[in-house]
C-alpha cells in the first residue's frame, strides 16, 4: 500500500500520548507514526510565554498539529469493518470539539478564503514551516465558536476542523496510511446517518472521507515547501500580538512569524522574481491582507 490509503482490514486502537498525540499499535507490527508532523503552533496566554513544542511520539495522527490533537481528538481507532461495520456518520451538531483551539493549521490552498476572516501567521519547528489561522486571543479559547457551540455563521471553516472526527494514521514506514476516527465523537454515536461500511466494505461515504483526508494531508506537505521558500527569502520576522481585552486584562499571542513589508519591498529584482517563480507571491499577499483580521478575534 505504498503511498496509498485505505480503511484498515486489521484492528488497531490509538490512545493519546503526552500532549494528546494519538499512539497507534498493531499486533506484531511497528507502532504507527505520523507523516509530515508539525510540532508547534502559535500560543496565546496572559503571561505571554510561548508554549513548548510537543514531544515526539509514535503513532501520531498524520497532518494534525499538536494543538489540534490535544484539544480536538480523544483516543482514535483505525477503522475496520469487523469492529466498526455498524458506524454511521451524522452531521456535526456543533463545533464544541474545537472550542479550545486558539489556532488552526492551514494548507496554502486555504489562504484566499481564510484571509478574509483570520490573521494568518507562520510558525517553525525543526526547520519545518506551517501556517495557522489565529482563532483566539487566549490559550484554550476559540473566538469563532458562538454561545450555541457552532462556528460563527459566514466565516470560513478550516479544512482541519471539517476533517474531524477522522484522521490519517501512518505506520513506522511512513508509507502506509490508514483512516482512523475519534469514536467518542457525537458524530459517530447516532443510530441514523451515512453508513461507513456496506456489506463489510467501505461505503461511498467512507471513500469520500478518505479522499478528503488524503487530499488535505498532501496539501499540508506541499504547503510546507511553499512556506519554507517564503522563509528562505528572508522576509519573515518574529512577532507577538499584545491584546487588551474588554475587561482591561492583557493577553499576548506569541511564537509566530509574519512577513515584514519593508523587507519585502527591499528585495532586489532577482529575489522578487524568484518568489513569483516559486508560486508564493499570492500566499504572501493573502497573508498581508489577513493582518486586517486581528480585530476579529476580539469579537
Amino acid at each position: 500500500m505504498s503511498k496509498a490509503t485505505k480503511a484498515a482490514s486489521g484492528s488497531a486502537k490509538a490512545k493519546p500520548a503526552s500532549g494528546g498525540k494519538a499512539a497507534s499499535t498493531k499486533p506484531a507490527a511497528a507502532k504507527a507514526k505520523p507523516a509530515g508532523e508539525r510540532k508547534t503552533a502559535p500560543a496565546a496566554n496572559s503571561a505571554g510565554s510561548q508554549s513548548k513544542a510537543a514531544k515526539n511520539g509514535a503513532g501520531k495522527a498524520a497532518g494534525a498539529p499538536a494543538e489540534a490533537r490535544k484539544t480536538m481528538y480523544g483516543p482514535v481507532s483505525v477503522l475496520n469493518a469487523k469492529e466498526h461495520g455498524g458506524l454511521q456518520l451524522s452531521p456535526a451538531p456543533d463545533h464544541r470539539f474545537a472550542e479550545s483551539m486558539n489556532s488552526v493549521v492551514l494548507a496554502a490552498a486555504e489562504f484566499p478564503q481564510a484571509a478574509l476572516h483570520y490573521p494568518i501567521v507562520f510558525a517553525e519547528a525543526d526547520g519545518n514551516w506551517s501556517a495557522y489561522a489565529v482563532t483566539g486571543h487566549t490559550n484554550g479559547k476559540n473566538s469563532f465558536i458562538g454561545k450555541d457551540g457552532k462556528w460563527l455563521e459566514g466565516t470560513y471553516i478550516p479544512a482541519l476542523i471539517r476533517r474531524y472526527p477522522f484522521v490519517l494514521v501512518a505506520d513506522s514506514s511512513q508509507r502506509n496510511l490508514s483512516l482512523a476516527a475519534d469514536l467518542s465523537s457525537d458524530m459517530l454515536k447516532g443510530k441514523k446517518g451515512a453508513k461507513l461500511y456496506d456489506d463489510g466494505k467501505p461505503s461511498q461515504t467512507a471513500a469520500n472521507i478518505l479522499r478528503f483526508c488524503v487530499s488535505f494531508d498532501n496539501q499540508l506537505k506541499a504547503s510546507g515547501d511553499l512556506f519554507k521558500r517564503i522563509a528562505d527569502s528572508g522576509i519573515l520576522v518574529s512577532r507577538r500580538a499584545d491584546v487588551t481585552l474588554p475587561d482591561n486584562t492583557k493577553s499576548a499571542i506569541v511564537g509566530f512569524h509574519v512577513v515584514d513589508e519593508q523587507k519585502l519591498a527591499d528585495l532586489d529584482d532577482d529575489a522578487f522574481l524568484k518568489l513569483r517563480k516559486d508560486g508564493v507571491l499570492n500566499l504572501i499577499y493573502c497573508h498581508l491582507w489577513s493582518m486586517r483580521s486581528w480585530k476579529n478575534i476580539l469579537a
Side-chain angles (χ1 to χ4, degrees), residues 77-265:
S77 297
V78 175
L79 298 177
N80 65 88
K82 181 178 179 180
E83 291 188 63
H84 311 116
L87 284 181
Q88 298 184 67
L89 176 66
S90 302
D94 55 48
H95 296 90
R96 286 190 171 90
F97 58 83
E99 63 185 357
S100 296
M101 296 182 66
N102 76 297
S103 63
V104 179
V105 73
L106 292 174
E110 298 182 89
F111 273 40
Q113 289 176 285
L116 299 175
H117 307 287
Y118 314 98
I120 298 175
V121 299
F122 301 95
E124 181 270 339
D126 299 335
N128 296 314
W129 285 90
S130 301
Y132 294 85
V134 179
T135 54
H137 52 69
T138 304
N139 208 26
K141 178 176 173 55
N142 186 336
S143 298
F144 287 84
I145 294 182
K147 293 181 179 180
D148 60 356
K150 296 181 179 180
W151 211 273
L152 294 184
E153 187 175 355
T155 57
Y156 173 72
I157 301 178
L160 186 79
I161 305 300
R162 288 182 277 121
R163 183 182 65 177
Y164 182 84
F166 301 98
V167 69
L168 295 178
V169 173
D171 66 9
S172 58
S173 72
Q174 296 292 298
R175 299 176 63 190
N176 302 324
L177 301 175
S178 296
L179 185 64
D182 178 358
L183 299 183
S184 69
S185 171
D186 290 339
M187 298 169 66
L188 296 174
K189 289 183 177 180
K191 296 182 179 180
K192 294 182 180 180
K195 294 182 179 180
L196 295 185
Y197 291 93
D198 285 325
D199 297 325
K201 297 181 180 180
S203 66
Q204 186 59 49
T205 295
N208 292 340
I209 292 166
L210 181 62
R211 189 178 301 110
F212 177 83
C213 289
V214 171
S215 175
F216 181 55
D217 187 59
N218 288 337
Q219 286 182 29
L220 284 181
K221 292 174 185 176
S223 298
D225 293 335
L226 295 174
F227 302 151
K228 187 176 187 303
R229 292 174 188 178
I230 294 174
D232 289 346
S233 71
I235 61 176
L236 292 183
V237 293
S238 179
R239 284 286 186 268
R240 60 178 284 153
D242 294 299
V243 179
T244 300
L245 305 178
D247 61 0
N248 289 323
T249 59
K250 296 184 182 299
S251 181
I253 302 170
V254 298
F256 66 89
H257 292 71
V258 300
V259 170
D260 185 297
E261 291 190 62
Q262 189 58 54
K263 288 182 178 291
L264 177 63

Side-chain angles (χ1 to χ4, degrees), residues 18-82:
S18 60
K21 303 180 181 66
S24 175
T25 59
K26 294 183 180 181
K31 292 183 178 181
K33 293 185 178 180
E37 185 65 25
R38 299 291 184 262
K39 297 196 298 181
T40 60
N45 51 66
S46 57
S49 60
Q50 183 173 352
S51 62
K52 295 180 180 179
K55 295 179 180 179
N56 282 320
K60 292 170 284 191
E67 295 293 322
R69 291 196 313 277
K70 183 176 181 180
T71 57
M72 283 176 57
Y73 290 88
V76 300
S77 297
V78 175
L79 298 177
N80 65 88
K82 181 178 179 180

